[in-house]
Amino acid sequence: MSEPPDHDGHDHDHDGHDHDHDGHGHEDNEQVADLSGGETVQLSVPEMDCPSCAGKVRNSVQSLDAVDAVDAQVTTGTLTVTYDTDSATPADVAERVEKAGYTVESGVGETTETFTVPGMDCPSCAGKVEKALDAVDGVATYQTQPTTGTVIVTYDQSHATTDELTHAIENAGYEVTETTASGDSSGSDVAATESVWRSARAKKTWVSGGFVALGLLFEFLLGGQNVRVLSGPVAFTLADVLFLLAVAVGGQEIVRNGYYSLRNRNLDIDLLMTIAISGAIVVSLVFGEGLYMEAATLAVLFSVAELLERYSMDKARNSLRELMDLSPDEATVKRDGQEVTVPVEDVRVGDIVVVRPGEKIPMDGEVVDGESAVNQAPITGESVPVDKTDGDEVYAGTINEEGYLEVQVTSEAGDNTLSRIVEMVEDAQANKTEREQFVERFAGYYTPAVVAFAVLVTLTTPFALGVAWEQAIVYGLTLLVLACPCAFVISTPVSVVSGITSAAKNGVLIKGGNHLESMGEVEAVALDKTGTLTKGELTVTDVVALNGNSEADVLRCARGLESRSEHPIGEAIVEHATENGVGKRSIDEFESITGKGVRADLDGEAHYAGKPGFFEELGFDLSHVHAVTDGGVVTQTSRRLCERNNCLDLLEDVIPDLQSEGKTVVLVGTEDELEGVIAVADEVRPEANAAVSRLHDLGVAHVVMLTGDNERTARAIAEQVGVDDFRAELLPDEKVESIRDLTEAYEGVAMVGDGVNDAPALATATVGVAMGAAGTDTALETADIALMSDDLSRLPYLYELSHDANGVIRQNVWVSLGAKAALALAVPFGLVPIWAAVLVGDAGMTLGVTGNAMRLSRLTPTRED
């Protein structure tokens, strides 16, 4: 949590999803979508960074009768409200947020601005910012993002200015380090993370800690020097004064935040700590119980816990910052015959960008000059650099390894592939998982229950357990500390952030925490054949020369015959012949014979290419054809298929055998002689078999291949890659029906396709995964998860990451909750000192769940996958 007053955002955030008037929150998006006739405003409240903060904001906003729905997103610091325009305005909503103690940084208007607010690092902080922004006239919507430390505000420039918004945020207790008008930056920013231990609050904490150390010194080690310095109705020793000074210095931020929480009737950690510290001092002054040391210890340790929480959030922010830092800030552009260096924001579509060896490519574009190998790992996760030459597409943030390139820019800085990935990763944090929603609902009951237990323990332990009233009060204060649900509230979102950003660095774009959770629980995976299990491009796989011809002779004739054909098979043959340096032959009288093949005169002699049946019609005996030997040694295909080493039975052996491997057979010859056999196939990806095997090893119960291809080809591919089942000759609607059948048989189904042709099936599955989405806008927009490269090994990595993320989330939730429950139950028996409640129950749990979540970043794809 940050320095500013905690709004109730945390507790309310949980409730806010149910009450969200704005409908901005993802959890309430469906609810808002059902509302009609209302206006939606999104407000950026950076200080609303914990469930407690969100609760304050939600309660305050819901006091407006015109509000229909409220969604407070603590992970983004955004408040979305749907309201009746006849009874309220955005300014009214913003005012309610500010009355909750939070600054509203954005609202309705003609411009959008991003504010960098490093101190806004928890939902409670975000709630305070939202409240402050609500009080600014002209603010239409805002989005607070504690995980990035940014606030995005939309406002009417005729009613508000950037300075006013900045002032409002800073009045909520958070420093604005940078503002960027919409359109002036290539992407969102992430708050800096270096200064947490040198912040103003940190300095106050260290000073306060010094006073506590001195007080403990005089209290326990230098008792003789612990003289009474003040006398009267209440006497103060030197140690007492030092403890009170520690509270005065270290408790400022706590009390200020607690004030905002109380004003908005939000029972959050700031209010609880304020009550605990104030209660200890009041009891000491009124009853002479001497709890100054406990009050000072609470103030210092809680401040330390807040700093540790800020540090933990910085760890999550760093993962996002690493993504955003991939793209350079400047580009070298050719203009008026000269090379000039300009900010990437000033580069226009159509500009020629110069990229030298070792430099990052600043913009998406197309190579117009030069050749080089480009490291695309930042975008696609591919470990091997990809050769680029004229006409090839390149992406911003990728690295030019060795050559000189000139790239024509094809998209604006804020609209390139990397920018879209970063934006989607940020947006994905707002899509709450089911576990996150459960935790937030639970937190709404947890805090009141523990507070009630604290009151009960304080009032009953003197009678039931015979403890002194002073000790009973300490027990109660200790339980108030444990009433904060922050550790298990952040346990899920921090895991989601870690998992999604780790995936993005490895070429997998996950569009939301809900999809991350769902992918880890699927029991069946359906794979499209073309373009997924196979490369999606026809290639020549076999050339069998016959009757004394060489492979080059066969390809030369085939190239001539197919050079005028527009059929994909013909294009594959021509490309293969060209790659092998086979020359051309003059062609005349070309004729395409529909459904059979082609005919043409090559160098004046009639030649044919086509299906086996076409050659049977021409009168050829395909059961006895002489094969070619190489230096007296029969070719491998001939030896395998022919008993006499110089004769092939094409009709019974060769053709069926090739077709059983999923290949299409083309015969080439003249009117009198068969010259050869060419087999063409959509080549299976080399990693397909290992990927399917790895999915089985990881626990996927059923892997099925779906294809519109014929059953013979489908069976051959299915056997080659090792899937459990296949379904062939499917139309698009039949693929959808197959997904529905799988969904009925298994708990969850992931469909993997190209993101375009398979869109209906992807949408029907529990999780839709698009392959090779880096250059496909449609796939990026429509799929739940996108594999940025054409590397199928990313699929088992995705499943493993998602499965591990679910495990981490479960561990974080139940360990943090169990630890707090155990500590709470041990308090009445004197087993938990108040310092342990702060360091273990609050700061320790926060660090623990964050560190556990960060383990996900260590998981990487392996080629064995």
Side-chain angles (χ1 to χ4, degrees):
M1 315 213 336
S2 322
E3 303 176 10
D6 253 357
H7 305 309
D8 311 271
H10 283 299
D11 298 332
H12 293 292
D13 200 41
H14 308 306
D15 302 333
H17 288 295
D18 299 327
H19 306 310
D20 257 355
H21 307 304
D22 325 351
H24 282 291
H26 292 279
E27 230 173 276
D28 290 330
N29 283 349
E30 294 181 3
Q31 176 184 359
V32 174
D34 294 332
L35 296 173
S36 59
E39 181 73 16
T40 296
V41 59
Q42 187 177 57
L43 303 177
S44 178
V45 189
E47 298 165 358
M48 184 188 68
D49 56 2
C50 67
S52 176
C53 306
K56 293 174 186 160
V57 173
R58 184 177 303 108
N59 288 347
S60 180
V61 172
Q62 287 174 342
S63 66
L64 290 174
D65 294 336
V67 170
D68 297 319
V70 175
D71 185 9
Q73 293 289 338
V74 297
T75 56
T76 59
T78 303
L79 180 72
T80 305
V81 180
T82 300
Y83 62 97
D84 182 0
T85 55
D86 295 332
S87 305
T89 65
D92 295 329
V93 176
E95 180 180 2
R96 293 309 310 169
V97 175
E98 291 179 347
K99 284 189 177 297
Y102 299 88
T103 301
V104 177
E105 292 193 0
S106 66
V108 175
E110 297 301 323
T111 189
T112 299
E113 188 144 356
T114 299
F115 297 80
T116 302
V117 188
M120 185 194 67
D121 54 12
C122 69
S124 178
C125 306
K128 297 184 178 110
V129 172
E130 291 178 2
K131 183 65 177 178
L133 288 175
D134 280 341
V136 179
D137 185 29
V139 171
T141 64
Y142 53 76
Q143 183 179 20
T144 52
Q145 299 179 337
T147 51
T148 60
T150 58
V151 180
I152 303 171
V153 183
T154 301
Y155 62 96
D156 185 344
Q157 297 182 78
S158 64
H159 291 81
T161 65
T162 300
D163 290 342
E164 290 174 344
L165 296 173
T166 300
H167 183 68
I169 296 172
E170 293 183 340
N171 279 345
Y174 299 91
E175 180 185 5
V176 176
T177 60
E178 185 178 358
T179 64
T180 306
S182 180
D184 291 343
S185 175
S186 60
S188 303
D189 200 358
V190 176
T193 61
E194 301 84 7
S195 60
V196 59
W197 303 114
R198 298 189 301 273
S199 64
R201 183 165 193 173
K203 294 175 181 177
K204 292 178 181 179
T205 301
W206 309 145
V207 172
S208 180
F211 284 130
V212 169
L214 289 174
L216 293 174
L217 182 65
F218 283 103
E219 181 77 20
F220 296 105
L221 298 180
L222 302 177
Q225 285 74 38
N226 188 24
V227 298
R228 180 175 297 182
V229 295
L230 291 175
S231 300
V234 180
F236 294 94
T237 65
L238 178 58
D240 293 337
V241 172
L242 290 170
F243 289 140
L244 287 173
L245 287 173
V247 172
V249 175
Q252 295 176 20
E253 301 294 339
I254 301 171
V255 173
R256 185 184 66 166
N257 293 347
Y259 160 74
Y260 281 107
S261 300
L262 179 62
R263 194 172 75 173
N264 290 280
R265 299 185 299 279
N266 190 67
L267 191 61
D268 66 356
I269 184 61
D270 292 312
L271 180 57
L272 292 172
M273 292 302 300
T274 299
I275 292 173
I277 294 172
S278 302
I281 294 176
V282 169
V283 168
S284 299
L285 293 175
V286 176
F287 300 104
E289 296 294 345
L291 298 179
Y292 303 115
M293 181 183 70
E294 284 77 4
T297 303
L298 277 178
V300 172
L301 293 182
F302 180 68
S303 293
V304 171
E306 292 288 271
L307 293 173
L308 290 173
E309 182 174 311
R310 167 73 180 278
Y311 174 75
S312 298
M313 184 59 69
D314 287 348
K315 299 289 288 183
R317 288 178 179 176
N318 281 337
S319 62
L320 285 174
R321 177 174 290 279
E322 289 173 6
L323 278 179
M324 300 174 64
D325 287 345
L326 291 174
S327 183
D329 298 325
E330 297 179 328
T332 302
V333 182
K334 278 190 169 183
R335 288 181 180 169
D336 300 325
Q338 296 182 336
E339 293 183 5
V340 294
T341 301
V342 300
V344 291
E345 294 85 359
D346 295 339
V347 179
R348 300 184 294 269
V349 172
D351 279 348
I352 303 297
V353 175
V354 174
V355 188
R356 293 182 169 81
E359 294 181 347
K360 289 183 179 180
I361 296 175
M363 310 285 287
D364 281 4
E366 181 178 299
V367 177
V368 294
D369 188 24
E371 295 181 357
S372 182
V374 175
N375 181 356
Q376 298 189 151
I379 301 296
T380 66
E382 296 170 287
S383 58
V384 179
V386 179
D387 291 333
K388 299 290 184 178
T389 187
D390 289 3
D392 289 338
E393 187 177 20
V394 293
Y395 309 115
T398 57
I399 304 167
N400 179 20
E401 293 282 351
E402 54 190 30
Y404 170 90
L405 292 176
E406 291 187 5
V407 178
Q408 185 173 38
V409 176
T410 57
S411 65
E412 299 288 350
D415 192 40
N416 58 42
T417 301
L418 180 60
S419 296
R420 292 198 302 272
I421 290 174
V422 172
E423 181 181 357
M424 289 178 181
V425 168
E426 292 177 343
D427 291 343
Q429 301 167 38
N431 294 333
K432 295 183 180 294
T433 68
E434 291 184 5
R435 290 187 182 89
E436 187 172 358
Q437 297 175 41
F438 162 76
V439 168
E440 291 188 349
R441 289 192 298 269
F442 177 81
Y445 298 99
Y446 170 84
T447 298
V450 177
V451 170
F453 183 55
V455 173
L456 180 65
V457 167
T458 302
L459 297 178
T460 60
T461 49
F463 305 103
L465 300 178
V467 302
W469 278 103
E470 176 183 353
Q471 190 61 45
I473 292 173
V474 172
Y475 289 167
L477 298 179
T478 304
L479 286 169
L480 287 183
V481 174
L482 294 173
C484 173
C486 289
F488 57 88
V489 168
I490 70 167
S491 61
T492 298
V494 73
S495 301
V496 169
V497 169
S498 177
I500 289 176
T501 53
S502 176
K505 294 174 189 175
N506 287 288
V508 179
L509 177 59
I510 303 174
K511 305 280 282 294
N514 50 338
H515 304 312
L516 178 72
E517 181 180 60
S518 298
M519 186 65 202
E521 296 177 345
V522 299
E523 294 184 352
V525 175
L527 300 163
D528 181 52
K529 179 183 78 70
T530 304
T532 302
L533 288 171
T534 66
K535 294 182 178 180
E537 299 176 355
L538 291 177
T539 57
V540 173
T541 59
D542 300 86
V543 178
V544 181
L546 304 172
N547 296 315
N549 293 285
S550 66
E551 288 191 11
D553 294 333
V554 177
L555 288 173
R556 189 175 297 109
C557 290
R559 175 177 181 174
L561 288 165
E562 300 289 0
S563 60
R564 295 187 181 181
S565 172
E566 295 181 357
H567 195 283
I569 292 178
E571 293 175 354
I573 292 174
V574 171
E575 182 179 358
H576 182 76
T578 302
E579 290 176 352
N580 284 273
V582 175
K584 301 179 181 179
R585 296 183 65 173
S586 63
I587 178 172
D588 293 300
E589 304 296 329
F590 175 83
E591 179 185 3
S592 175
I593 304 172
T594 305
K596 297 180 180 180
V598 296
R599 177 205 176 280
D601 289 343
L602 301 180
D603 297 329
E605 184 178 6
H607 281 72
Y608 300 86
K611 297 179 178 179
F614 180 35
F615 278 79
E616 285 188 297
E617 292 179 7
L618 293 175
F620 285 93
D621 180 8
L622 302 183
S623 64
H624 188 89
V625 182
H626 290 281
V628 171
T629 62
D630 183 7
V633 180
V634 179
T635 61
Q636 181 180 359
T637 302
S638 301
R639 180 177 297 279
R640 177 166 54 89
L641 298 174
C642 184
E643 294 179 355
R644 291 176 290 171
N645 286 347
N646 64 349
C647 177
L648 298 177
D649 186 339
L650 298 183
L651 198 59
E652 295 297 329
D653 293 326
V654 178
I655 293 173
D657 190 66
L658 291 172
Q659 289 178 336
S660 69
E661 296 174 0
K663 300 173 182 178
T664 300
V665 175
V666 177
L667 301 187
V668 180
T670 66
E671 293 179 341
D672 303 316
E673 178 185 68
L674 275 176
E675 297 178 334
V677 179
I678 298 177
V680 178
D682 182 3
E683 189 177 355
V684 173
R685 295 185 185 278
E687 73 275 13
N689 181 272
V692 173
S693 176
R694 179 64 175 154
L695 286 173
H696 284 135
D697 293 342
L698 291 171
V700 176
H702 191 72
V703 181
V704 60
M705 182 184 76
L706 307 181
T707 179
D709 212 336
N710 65 76
E711 184 161 348
R712 175 180 288 180
T713 299
R715 184 180 301 279
I717 300 298
E719 292 176 354
Q720 188 173 346
V721 301
V723 296
D724 300 305
D725 189 16
F726 71 92
R727 302 186 184 187
E729 301 179 5
L730 299 177
L731 296 174
D733 59 321
E734 292 173 326
K735 286 186 180 181
V736 171
E737 192 60 36
S738 295
I739 293 297
R740 288 174 178 161
D741 293 341
L742 290 169
T743 303
E744 292 178 0
Y746 299 94
E747 283 298 320
V749 178
M751 171 66 193
V752 186
D754 62 12
V756 181
N757 298 328
D758 300 313
L762 292 174
T764 304
T766 309
V767 183
V769 182
M771 278 279 291
T776 308
D777 291 343
T778 303
L780 282 175
E781 296 297 333
T782 61
D784 299 324
I785 299 174
L787 307 183
M788 303 303 290
S789 70
D790 283 325
D791 183 1
L792 198 58
S793 69
R794 293 297 186 274
L795 183 60
Y797 159 74
L798 166 64
Y799 178 79
E800 184 177 10
L801 175 70
S802 302
H803 189 270
D804 287 357
N806 285 342
V808 167
I809 291 172
R810 285 191 292 268
Q811 293 165 13
N812 282 349
V813 170
W814 296 115
V815 170
S816 59
L817 182 58
K820 281 183 173 288
L823 289 171
L825 293 175
V827 167
F829 302 99
L831 301 177
V832 181
I834 199 166
W835 62 264
V838 177
L839 290 184
V840 178
D842 189 35
M845 284 296 98
T846 298
L847 283 177
V849 298
T850 303
N852 194 33
M854 291 299 107
R855 291 192 301 113
L856 295 173
S857 63
R858 297 200 294 267
L859 184 64
T860 57
T862 59
R863 295 307 303 175
E864 287 73 24
D865 287 339

